[in-house]
Amino acid sequence: MAEIIQERIEDRIPELEQLERIGLFSAKEIKAIIKKASDLEYKIQRRSLFKEDFINYVQYEINLLELIQRRRARIRYSFKKDEIEHSIVHRIHGVFGRASAKWKDDVQLWLSYVVFCKKWGTKAQLSKIFSAMLAIHSNKPALWIMAAKWEMEDRLSSESARHLFLRALRFHPECQKLYQEYFRMELMHAEKLRKEKQEFEKAAMDMGDFDQPEEILRGELARIIYKTSISKIKGAEFHVSILSIAKLFDFAKDLQKEIYDDLQTLHTDDPLTWDYVARQELEMTSNSEEQPTTKQARALELGQREERCCAVYEEAVKTLPTEAMWKCYINFCLERFSKKTSSSFLRGQRLERTMIAFKKAHELKLLSELQYKQWINLLLPQDSREALEVAEAGTELFKDSVTMWQLRLQVLIDSKSPNIAVTFEEAFVHLKPQVCLPLWILWAEWSEGAKSEEDTEAIFKKALLAVTGASSATLKEKYLDWAYRSGGYKKARAVFKSLQESRPFSVDFFRKMMQFEKEQESCKMTYLRDYYERALREFGSTDSDLWMDYIKEELNHPLGRAENCGQIYWRALKMLQGQSAEMFVAKHAMHQAGH
């Protein structure tokens, strides 16, 4: 192995001599390069090979190449590239070749090889790399697309790109992305040929070399791909995606019309078709040659286009009265309403249209839970009474939705209704206890502002009996916070003592009590120790910060005992596990160093 490494280092000598001779590197730097190269060579020549060693080797060589480029630019010397850069690039190819042969399944490694070839101008090599990669990773459509795109855009070889797409489709006959990109590529190719033809005609040159059939220039190949793709892949979504690509090319108007007509014929029962057709009305401008000039005229013209869209949607919901179709209609109305406009007429028109759509869908019971929420949020600034009616209808339909009940209760609270407590009780009848935490918190927060202290405490106590598991930890924090706000430290400590054996807890439950203690004039260290010990009983095996804060408390508190710190430190090492223990040791060392 030593002989191989020595031979490879000797192969570098001509390029290193050139680097020193032309003044890009000093003799000291050349020695450093040889030493580093020897280490890297040893790692990739030994018996047990690691991928990271090959990656490090390549990265070092690329960094060297970039440094050479920067120094060339600085001294403005551009000669001897064959002896220097080309030699390094050739060596990197060799290392990449070995690595990709050994770790064939590593796509990232192949992609790194491709990026290197693109950056350092070795295009001839890249075709072979793509072929080798696709032979192994033929199951990844994205790699086929990447290879075809490179052939088309970098090598300007539409024939090679087409060949790659056809091969890819043999492996993935129903891959939407492949068909979309192949369709796009053929249209791009046709557009390029049309431009070439125009240039020939403009320059009055001999068209003998330009023998492309008219069908190709019209995008006939793209049309064949389109027809093949819709026979393999069903669904309006794919059809619309193909149409969107075709619309990027102005010359393909006939093809666009054919795809549009097929969409309406083949997918009449798909909401996406109607949605697409309706939205096309927005793009259609007025037939009159004069465009509106004033703001009012532009708003009026936009309003007319939106009316035409809604007329299509109205026809759609009659033809296809489904929740999905109404969702498309309502989403369109909400999108238009959210658009900023200085025209109060247009804004009013949009709001009215949205409200009518919501009401019609509600009457047909075709609104989803999300749409009820959107409707209520839209109504709240306008009419709180109607918002409440909609919220009641929503909870009637979605009795097991906590967010629906939450929204209804929020509307009641905002309108200062006398039925709030009754509605809370009604909600708890219909909902599972494990999802009720947001409602209990909302009830307690409302009660704090509207009811007596005793009523609020009664709600917290009822909530703690009803809510179990991890959710109860959050509730205990809220209860403790409220106790401190309403009754001060004495009340908070009483609540803490009543809950201190009721698991589960959160770290914040204990930290809040510690903070309340520290805010008192006569902060008692015995109480703080009790809180820390209780917290560590629950979280001492995972929370390194808790141990560190305990140590700092003993050191900084006027009544703390510094002699306890050593014992706390060793207890922490015993209890903490894995990474938490390492973090604790590092933090403790930093603290001792004065950081």
Side-chain angles (χ1 to χ4, degrees):
M1 187 175 78
E3 292 83 2
I4 297 169
I5 293 168
Q6 185 62 34
E7 186 183 339
R8 287 179 65 84
I9 293 298
E10 285 172 4
D11 290 341
R12 288 172 178 262
I13 288 172
E15 76 198 50
L16 294 173
E17 286 175 346
Q18 291 287 5
L19 285 169
E20 189 177 356
R21 189 177 299 127
I22 62 180
L24 288 176
F25 287 85
S26 65
K28 188 178 177 183
E29 286 173 323
I30 295 295
K31 282 181 184 176
I33 291 171
I34 291 170
K35 186 177 184 305
K36 182 67 177 174
S38 301
D39 293 341
L40 292 168
E41 286 289 354
Y42 171 76
K43 286 178 181 176
I44 68 164
Q45 298 297 340
R46 61 189 174 186
R47 187 166 293 177
S48 56
L49 299 175
F50 299 97
K51 185 167 50 180
E52 290 71 24
D53 294 331
F54 282 81
I55 292 168
N56 291 338
Y57 190 113
V58 166
Q59 192 57 60
Y60 176 76
E61 293 286 15
I62 290 171
N63 291 343
L64 184 62
L65 273 174
E66 289 173 350
L67 182 60
I68 290 168
Q69 277 194 332
R70 286 198 298 273
R71 291 192 177 181
R72 276 185 181 281
R74 191 177 68 200
I75 67 169
R76 296 179 183 176
Y77 186 89
S78 59
F79 302 105
K80 304 285 184 185
K81 284 192 176 182
D82 283 344
E83 292 94 328
I84 300 171
E85 280 94 332
H86 290 187
S87 172
I88 297 171
V89 168
H90 179 72
R91 189 160 56 247
I92 293 172
H93 276 300
V95 176
F96 260 130
R98 279 185 63 197
S100 56
K102 183 163 181 61
W103 293 284
K104 294 185 176 76
D105 295 335
D106 191 333
V107 176
Q108 196 55 52
L109 188 64
W110 284 103
L111 294 177
S112 299
Y113 195 2
V114 168
V115 169
F116 169 76
C117 290
K118 283 182 177 180
K119 185 171 181 180
W120 295 97
T122 52
K123 290 184 179 179
Q125 191 79 7
L126 199 47
S127 283
K128 294 176 187 173
I129 294 162
F130 272 125
S131 295
M133 178 173 68
L134 292 171
I136 297 156
H137 296 285
S138 57
N139 61 331
K140 294 179 175 63
L143 298 182
W144 289 99
I145 292 167
M146 183 195 290
K149 192 176 178 185
W150 179 76
E151 291 287 353
M152 178 72 183
E153 294 176 5
D154 291 78
R155 289 194 69 204
L156 306 176
S157 173
S158 58
E159 197 60 46
S160 299
R162 189 176 295 122
H163 179 64
L164 279 168
F165 273 121
L166 290 170
R167 278 181 62 203
L169 287 167
R170 285 194 212 113
F171 288 101
H172 308 278
E174 294 181 1
C175 177
Q176 293 189 20
K177 192 67 180 170
L178 274 173
Y179 276 113
Q180 287 163 354
E181 293 304 321
Y182 188 14
F183 181 73
R184 191 197 307 273
M185 187 275 287
E186 287 296 0
L187 285 172
M188 285 170 66
H189 179 54
E191 186 177 53
K192 180 182 152 212
L193 291 176
R194 291 172 74 89
K195 284 179 181 174
E196 283 178 8
K197 186 181 178 184
Q198 286 170 6
E199 291 298 323
F200 271 114
E201 288 170 349
K202 197 184 289 183
M205 290 174 67
D206 180 22
M207 298 284 285
D209 294 335
F210 193 88
D211 58 350
Q212 297 294 340
E214 193 61 34
E215 291 83 0
I216 301 292
L217 298 176
R218 284 203 310 269
E220 190 61 28
L221 285 175
R223 184 180 169 279
I224 292 166
I225 295 160
Y226 154 67
K227 286 293 186 186
T228 308
S229 67
I230 61 167
S231 69
K232 301 270 186 188
I233 302 166
K234 309 298 178 187
E237 188 178 357
F238 175 72
H239 212 120
V240 167
S241 71
I242 289 288
L243 180 52
S244 300
I245 294 167
K247 291 190 88 170
L248 299 171
F249 299 88
D250 292 335
F251 73 89
K253 296 290 183 190
D254 292 342
L255 181 58
Q256 290 168 23
K257 187 177 183 308
E258 182 181 349
I259 298 170
Y260 185 73
D261 292 344
D262 286 349
L263 175 67
Q264 291 179 287
T265 308
L266 297 172
H267 304 289
T268 316
D269 57 347
D270 194 314
L272 197 64
T273 302
W274 286 99
D275 190 44
Y276 185 83
V277 171
R279 286 171 185 271
Q280 290 309 294
E281 296 293 333
L282 271 181
E283 297 176 16
M284 294 180 187
T285 52
S286 173
N287 292 330
S288 61
E289 290 182 10
E290 291 183 13
Q291 291 298 316
T293 51
T294 65
K295 279 186 180 179
Q296 190 177 354
R298 283 198 295 271
L300 188 65
E301 197 262 340
L302 181 57
Q304 288 170 351
R305 276 191 275 158
E306 288 178 2
E307 278 295 334
R308 293 200 299 271
C309 291
C310 287
V312 177
Y313 277 117
E314 288 290 344
E315 186 188 343
V317 292
K318 285 175 188 168
T319 310
L320 203 65
T322 63
E323 188 180 308
M325 190 66 251
W326 277 103
K327 182 183 177 182
C328 291
Y329 186 9
I330 289 167
N331 282 350
F332 170 78
C333 292
L334 288 169
E335 279 173 31
R336 299 315 300 172
F337 180 68
S338 66
K339 298 280 182 188
K340 289 183 179 177
T341 176
S342 57
S343 168
S344 55
F345 160 75
L346 187 59
R347 184 161 180 81
Q349 193 182 50
R350 286 170 175 173
L351 179 61
E352 184 186 359
R353 193 185 295 131
T354 307
M355 291 301 185
I356 290 168
F358 271 123
K359 281 176 185 171
K360 285 182 178 178
H362 167 63
E363 285 164 10
L364 295 167
K365 294 188 177 177
L366 290 172
L367 278 182
S368 66
E369 185 185 336
L370 174 64
Q371 285 163 336
Y372 272 106
K373 292 174 199 168
Q374 290 171 329
W375 191 9
I376 293 163
N377 289 329
L378 201 61
L379 279 168
L380 274 172
Q382 322 288 334
D383 186 347
S384 59
R385 196 171 70 179
E386 192 178 349
L388 182 57
E389 287 172 10
V390 172
E392 285 170 358
T395 50
E396 194 61 38
L397 278 171
F398 303 99
K399 288 180 181 176
D400 58 348
S401 166
V402 69
T403 48
M404 203 74 239
W405 282 101
Q406 201 172 353
L407 206 52
R408 177 178 168 182
L409 286 158
Q410 195 60 60
V411 174
L412 284 168
I413 290 167
D414 292 344
S415 59
K416 296 182 172 59
S417 167
N419 303 323
I420 296 170
V422 177
T423 310
F424 271 113
E425 295 288 3
E426 186 188 344
F428 294 135
V429 170
H430 293 293
L431 296 168
K432 293 176 182 175
Q434 57 264 37
V435 299
C436 289
L437 178 65
L439 295 191
W440 284 112
I441 292 170
L442 183 63
W443 195 3
E445 286 171 353
W446 164 74
S447 179
E448 187 179 354
K451 296 286 183 179
S452 67
E453 193 178 308
E454 291 77 16
D455 289 338
T456 307
E457 186 155 24
I459 291 166
F460 272 117
K461 285 179 177 176
K462 279 174 73 176
L464 286 167
L465 290 171
V467 179
T468 55
S471 299
S472 67
T474 308
L475 198 57
K476 285 163 195 161
E477 284 178 46
K478 296 282 181 185
Y479 188 10
L480 194 62
D481 264 334
W482 168 81
Y484 192 62
R485 281 198 308 272
S486 61
Y489 172 74
K490 194 175 178 182
K491 177 78 174 172
R493 182 156 168 77
V495 168
F496 179 82
K497 287 180 81 173
S498 70
L499 297 174
Q500 65 187 11
E501 299 299 336
S502 303
R503 290 177 178 82
F505 301 110
S506 65
V507 178
D508 284 342
F509 176 72
F510 295 101
R511 286 197 178 277
K512 280 179 193 292
M513 200 58 225
M514 293 170 199
Q515 188 58 41
F516 299 157
E517 185 67 49
K518 288 176 192 176
E519 288 171 10
Q520 306 314 303
E521 284 183 24
S522 57
C523 173
K524 295 182 179 176
M525 189 62 201
T526 51
Y527 285 172
L528 280 175
R529 282 196 194 100
D530 179 49
Y531 303 145
Y532 273 112
E533 289 296 339
R534 287 182 179 279
L536 290 168
R537 208 179 300 159
E538 305 296 327
F539 305 101
S541 61
T542 54
D543 196 328
S544 59
D545 287 337
L546 209 53
W547 289 101
M548 274 309 303
D549 290 344
Y550 193 6
I551 290 171
K552 288 174 188 175
E553 207 70 63
E554 289 286 10
L555 289 169
N556 300 330
H557 195 279
L559 299 174
R561 294 176 189 162
E563 62 269 23
N564 289 352
C565 295
Q567 188 185 3
I568 296 167
Y569 177 81
W570 290 111
R571 281 175 60 202
L573 290 183
K574 282 182 185 177
M575 280 193 75
L576 288 167
Q577 296 167 359
Q579 199 173 0
S580 299
E582 291 171 18
M583 284 174 68
F584 171 73
V585 170
K587 286 172 187 173
H588 189 265
M590 291 283 283
H591 182 257
Q592 284 193 315
H595 295 291

